[in-house]
Amino acid sequence: MQQAKNVAALRSDLLAIGGRQPLWHYAGFRGFGASTNAGQHKIDVPDGGLAAVDRQEYKGKWMFAVCVVLRLKPGMKDAFMPLMTENAKASREAELNCHRFDVSTDSKDPDCVFLYELYSDQAGFDAHLNTQHFLAFDAATAPMVADKTVVTWDTVHA
């Protein structure tokens, strides 16, 4: 994965993509206004089980955010998106340390995909990168991706 040199450069790049709102408008460390979980997120509960809870109860407990901008090769979106959404779903359902995995697109820029992911910590994200579902996804989609930018934040405040 390619790490952006600085957040300001990524924000500038995101502003240039279709004139959209800047990254902090969409993510704002609050997630997106609409998500596949409708504001409910899986978390590790004290008894070790999983429960869907309102994220407002857990402000500040998500400690590691990942933002990814994928630039697809022209004409690859229809093949890429089912694989992407399957990977996101597998991550949310199978990884205890993955609390959110949003996949966003914009009809004005069909070859751009934006991911917003929340993990308990860096180790949770590192574990994600070694899961069978991610490795299969990465191998299957690598030929479809023209460019990938990954930026991480080690503390989520709200």
Side-chain angles (χ1 to χ4, degrees), residues 5-152:
K5 291 188 179 179
N6 62 55
V7 174
L10 176 64
R11 289 177 176 161
S12 176
D13 290 346
L14 288 173
L15 282 171
I17 300 171
R20 289 186 231 145
Q21 293 290 331
L23 172 66
W24 57 93
H25 172 82
Y26 286 114
F29 303 118
R30 295 175 308 226
F32 298 98
S35 80
T36 56
N37 314 47
Q40 299 292 308
H41 307 282
K42 287 190 297 188
I43 61 147
D44 221 344
V45 292
D47 66 4
L50 289 176
V53 298
D54 180 15
R55 68 187 164 102
Q56 294 302 318
E57 295 177 35
Y58 288 88
K59 267 188 192 175
K61 294 189 179 178
W62 287 312
M63 300 310 298
F64 197 77
V66 180
C67 295
V68 182
V69 177
L70 298 157
R71 174 66 55 192
L72 303 179
K73 293 177 181 175
M76 297 307 300
K77 183 179 178 185
D78 289 344
F80 179 85
M81 288 306 295
L83 299 171
M84 181 73 258
T85 56
E86 179 182 317
N87 179 61
K89 181 180 178 188
S91 299
R92 287 190 310 266
E93 292 178 356
E95 298 175 42
L96 293 178
N97 290 310
C98 179
H99 303 289
R100 185 176 195 104
F101 198 124
D102 292 332
V103 180
S104 301
T105 60
D106 189 331
S107 60
K108 295 176 199 141
D109 191 358
D111 295 328
C112 186
V113 179
F114 176 76
L115 310 178
Y116 181 69
E117 307 167 45
L118 288 174
Y119 296 88
S120 298
D121 51 26
Q122 171 82 49
F125 178 59
D126 292 343
H128 163 73
L129 297 177
N130 290 301
T131 60
Q132 185 176 15
H133 61 264
F134 175 78
L135 294 171
F137 161 79
D138 194 44
T141 60
M144 302 176 195
V145 176
D147 187 53
K148 180 190 323 188
T149 301
V150 177
V151 178
T152 62

